[in-house]
Amino acid sequence: MPKFEPVAGRGLHTIENAPIPEIRALQLERMKWSLAHAYAHVPVYRQLFDQAGVHPSDLRSLDDLQRFPFTSKAELRDNYPFGMFAVPREQVLRVHASSGTTGKPTVVGYTQSDLDMWSHVFQRSLVAAGVRPGDVVHVAYGYGLFTGGLGAHYGAEQFGCTVVPASVGQTARQVQLLVDFDADVLCATPSYALVVADEFRNQGIDPASTSLRVGIFGAEPWSEAMRAELEDAFGIDAVDIYGLSEVIGGGVANECVETKDGPTIWEDHFYPEIVDPDSGEVLPEGETGELVFTSLTKVAMPVIRYRTRDICSLQPGTARSMRRMGRVAARTDDMLIIRGVNVFPSQFEELVSENPGLTPHFVLEVHQRGRLEGITAVLEPKPDAGDHEAIAAEFASTVRQRIGIAVDVNCVAPETIERSAGKAVRVRDLRSRQS
Ligand code: DLL
């Protein structure tokens, strides 16, 4: 196991600003370990490496990583729930999960060492954001299987902050807690932070009048326009945090407050590549393509060349020596992020096809009402299916239970939904996107 030093509680961990050759040397040492660990303990990796005719001992330089095969959500799905673990299940102290492309979630496991590493990189993220030990950190990311809440929680607690585990929802109460506890830091999805700002105004309080100093916003795409709005509304510095469950959760990368020029990737733990989404070829720094991660220190569930589906670019370091990522511009798949929940149209496809009263034709309309994004599922019941209102109510309840989001349902007459000759167009985006 490669060693990493836990952060002492404050200040910068020196590796973040180490000379680049030192960072590369550490990455190579850790990558050798990670590939060997995955190969020795996860049958899927052994099979994939063998098929590609590569062995962990073939990695002599960081560039050799290109010879190793990619992985994706498909491997996680096919080995659901614990087949990607590299340690006996008894050593896994926690699991998290996020939406898969079909009904099954993708499961991630953490050993004690993984949880320590996660808290460690989250503390770096807090330092980058301008948080200080002793600050009151209000965590309004969801707690539970989603990594947002607990990731921020343990990172901030170990950093020496006073953590308020508010979780998401009950917005009037969030406002009360933020005011009464004199919060310094708000962690939330940017869309929810805007909802909280509106609730302040509804209660006749100027959100800029609070003690809030820093906002750490992420888990979904947002824009410079939203940053300006949030900074203005709360009178804060707003920084971008990136992550994905398969890699660790929130805190894979975090923007530095002094530059606000894209999240710095904690690349001594997560090795980034940008590849052409079609050919898989590695692209030079600065070019836009699909972000791919190889974990360097993860024990329970190493990921090797994991395709995130996020489209962005890698940029040289500015506030730190480590590289930054540009804003996530798009995804290569059709995943939607609705109020922080990852949603795939294929999940709806499954529910529609299971329902005997429905034809297979449906469209998801993504709309924005006020601050909140939502989905209307437009369904086409069979002619003899009966009462549309009852069908709609039942479908909405199934979606709530199985996908975990509230949706509106609109049942339309037969032959209303446009048929397409090629790939069905399942999503109609009615949101007006800010750039
Ligand atoms: O969203 C982890 C997280 C928690 C990140 C808290 C930040 C803060 P998942 O639910 O697995 O994990 O979703 C991962 O969300 O592949 C991106 O498409 C998207 N995403 C996450 N952060 C950002 C961001 C968490 N800052 C997926 N900007 C990723 C744009 C983001 N997209």
Side-chain angles (χ1 to χ4, degrees), residues 146-148 219-221 240-245 250 310 328 331 337 342:
F146 177 54
T147 55
E220 64 185 9
D240 192 8
I241 180 166
Y242 171 87
L244 65 162
S245 327
D310 291 321
V328 176
R331 288 187 52 93
I337 304 180
N342 300 351

Side-chain angles (χ1 to χ4, degrees), residues 17 47-48 80 85 118 120 150 154 158 173 205 212 219 240 274 404 428 433:
N17 262 331
Q47 203 182 344
L48 285 170
Y80 175 85
F85 289 180
W118 190 11
H120 166 79
L150 288 172
Y154 286 108
Q158 287 184 23
R173 196 187 59 167
I205 310 170
L212 279 175
D240 192 8
I274 293 285
R428 203 177 298 143
R433 274 240 177 254

Side-chain angles (χ1 to χ4, degrees), residues 73 97-99 106 122 141 146-149 188-189 216-222 240-246 248-251 253 263 308-310 325 327-331 335 337 340-342:
K73 266 194 197 287
S98 80
S99 312
T106 49
F122 207 95
Y141 286 117
F146 177 54
T147 55
T189 59
I216 306 181
F217 304 131
E220 64 185 9
W222 54 309
D240 192 8
I241 180 166
Y242 171 87
L244 65 162
S245 327
E246 296 87 328
I248 200 94
T308 64
R309 304 277 174 212
D310 291 321
M325 53 189 280
R327 272 196 191 277
V328 176
R331 288 187 52 93
M335 186 177 92
I337 304 180
V341 181
N342 300 351

Side-chain angles (χ1 to χ4, degrees), residues 28-50:
L28 180 60
E29 178 199 330
R30 289 178 171 184
M31 193 180 285
K32 285 179 179 169
W33 172 82
S34 190
L35 292 177
H37 175 60
Y39 187 79
H41 300 295
V42 188
V44 192
Y45 281 115
R46 178 177 289 258
Q47 203 182 344
L48 285 170
F49 288 14
D50 287 350

